[in-house]
Amino acid sequence: MQKIIVVPGDGIGPEVTEEAVTTLQALGADLEFTFLDQINADRYLRDGVALTDSELELMRTGGTVLFGAVGDPRVTTPDYARGVLLRLRTELDLFVNYRPAVLLDERLSPLRDESRRGIDCVVVRENTEGLYSGVGGSLRAGTPDEIAVDQEMSTYLGVSRVVEYGYGIARRSVCMVDKSNAVRFGGQLWQRVWRAARERHTEVASSHLYVDAAAMKLITDAPSFDVIVTNNSYGDILSDLTAELAGGLGTAASANINPQTGAGLYEPVHGSAPDIVGKGLANPAGAVLSAALLLRDRGLKSEAEALEQAVRHTLAQRRCTPDLGGTLSTRQAGEAIRAALS
């Protein structure tokens, strides 16, 4: 039996997670769910607690987490979000952020016809270091003389293992993205690690682009990319770009994983979207496709493919939420996906 810990979270998180869980249950797979509904902004605002040690330990031993969303406009500091997601990523050592971008239906891409066909790539983002590691500080805060410093941290271990993972999943090619012409020391480390990996994996086509050039090429020639491997901040930006090119954040799935331990946290990337909470407008496709990534990583390939095909079918039929050109509510869109499973 596969045990899944469910954290609905904030905003539209509970809405889309409910549809994802119900869809997983409709597959008839041997799955057991544990719900941690108390991890949310309400508790943080009431008690000042983002994530308890016992909850962290449960997720550490459980190994697989289906996550909804984190974030609430009532919380005015980054401490809550960092205390949940970033703590999970660092303490569970989820060093790979895996963001696939697959064009599910050609009408969804903003690119012209000849550029959008064949979009099928993945951004492999280093997930525990870089600018998001929290190294830095401020001086004379709140004054005209304020100084703020955020330091980008890269280690040989962190860079080498994520680059190696990127080569390990490549079908055709790996493009390593950095800004080594401007970011001197971290850039040198990424370049050295990438060159060594390129020599070990001669069966895979290798290329390098600076992050600004990579962004431009994604617009003009997205189908040429297979695996993009890059650091935390560049990966955050480029993966949102690839998601939009492939149809929008409503269909974007992600996996935060440690391939060495098997730990994984799977979540749609659309965020908590507080402006549409409770309106039935939230798109459940990203949550369902994140659940498909979870199943695939747990060896349930046929079940994962069934979910992916069901989402494709409903999009082709325009049986989806308004953001993708349909008229269905969140619940109705989930029901349509489940109907497509049969």
Side-chain angles (χ1 to χ4, degrees):
M1 176 176 290
Q2 300 281 355
K3 295 183 178 181
I4 300 173
I5 298 168
V6 182
V7 182
D10 301 311
I12 63 171
E15 300 173 46
V16 298
T17 303
E18 180 180 359
E19 297 308 316
V21 170
T22 304
T23 305
L24 285 172
Q25 291 170 331
L27 285 171
D30 195 12
L31 305 173
E32 179 182 306
F33 298 94
T34 299
F35 292 85
L36 296 183
D37 301 294
Q38 68 273 25
I39 301 174
N40 55 44
D42 287 337
R43 184 179 70 177
Y44 180 78
L45 289 168
R46 184 183 67 248
D47 302 330
V49 176
L51 180 70
T52 68
D53 292 343
S54 61
E55 290 161 351
L56 175 64
E57 188 58 28
L58 178 61
M59 285 184 263
R60 191 192 308 278
T61 55
T64 305
V65 181
L66 183 63
F67 198 91
V70 64
D72 189 297
R74 296 173 298 169
V75 181
T76 57
T77 73
D79 296 341
Y80 165 56
R82 291 185 65 88
V84 179
L85 269 185
L86 292 188
R87 186 182 179 195
L88 287 171
R89 290 173 183 174
T90 55
E91 297 211 26
L92 300 181
D93 200 19
L94 306 175
F95 65 87
V96 170
N97 183 259
Y98 178 94
R99 285 280 299 271
V102 180
L103 184 57
L104 300 172
D105 191 286
E106 285 192 4
R107 67 181 174 81
L108 299 179
S109 177
L111 297 179
R112 59 182 184 270
D113 289 348
E114 61 269 26
S115 295
R116 70 189 182 194
R117 292 191 180 94
I119 297 176
D120 185 0
C121 65
V122 59
V123 176
V124 174
R125 162 189 169 192
E126 200 294 314
N127 209 29
T128 60
E129 299 184 350
L131 277 173
Y132 298 177
S133 59
V135 178
S138 62
L139 183 65
R140 305 187 189 97
T143 75
D145 300 315
E146 181 170 353
I147 301 171
V149 177
D150 291 286
Q151 294 182 314
E152 182 172 282
M153 181 187 71
S154 296
T155 68
Y156 177 81
L157 171 64
V159 176
S160 60
R161 64 185 182 176
V162 78
V163 170
E164 189 65 25
Y165 177 83
Y167 273 97
I169 66 168
R171 297 161 297 179
R172 306 184 311 273
S173 63
V174 170
C175 179
M176 195 277 285
V177 173
D178 66 11
K179 193 61 178 170
S180 55
N181 58 338
V183 182
R184 180 181 176 187
F185 300 109
Q188 289 174 352
L189 175 56
W190 277 86
Q191 285 285 324
R192 179 166 63 87
V193 168
W194 168 68
R195 289 192 181 103
R198 181 181 63 184
E199 294 302 314
R200 290 194 302 273
H201 297 279
T202 54
E203 76 285 359
V204 176
S206 296
S207 62
H208 163 261
L209 287 172
Y210 298 130
V211 63
D212 44 354
M216 290 188 290
K217 189 172 182 180
L218 278 167
I219 299 298
T220 59
D221 191 16
S224 69
F225 289 93
D226 178 20
V227 173
I228 298 169
V229 61
T230 188
N231 70 15
N232 208 333
S233 54
Y234 301 154
D236 193 0
I237 296 165
L238 291 179
S239 57
D240 276 3
L241 173 58
T242 57
E244 190 63 26
L245 297 180
L249 289 181
T251 64
S254 78
N256 302 271
I257 59 176
N258 184 318
Q260 299 164 352
T261 66
L265 184 150
Y266 303 81
E267 60 170 329
V269 301
H270 48 55
S272 59
D275 55 321
I276 61 170
V277 173
K279 297 180 180 180
L281 298 174
N283 186 347
V288 172
L289 292 173
S290 295
L293 292 179
L294 184 157
L295 293 175
R296 193 177 295 275
D297 282 353
R298 293 297 172 266
L300 300 173
K301 181 180 178 181
S302 60
E303 290 87 348
E305 290 175 348
L307 289 189
E308 292 162 353
Q309 283 298 112
V311 172
R312 284 182 179 274
H313 178 77
T314 57
L315 290 178
Q317 300 290 322
R318 291 183 184 261
R319 292 185 55 74
C320 51
T321 47
D323 59 306
L324 297 181
T327 59
L328 301 186
S329 67
T330 304
R331 174 60 55 81
Q332 290 169 335
E335 291 171 346
I337 293 170
R338 291 187 285 277
L341 289 173
S342 57

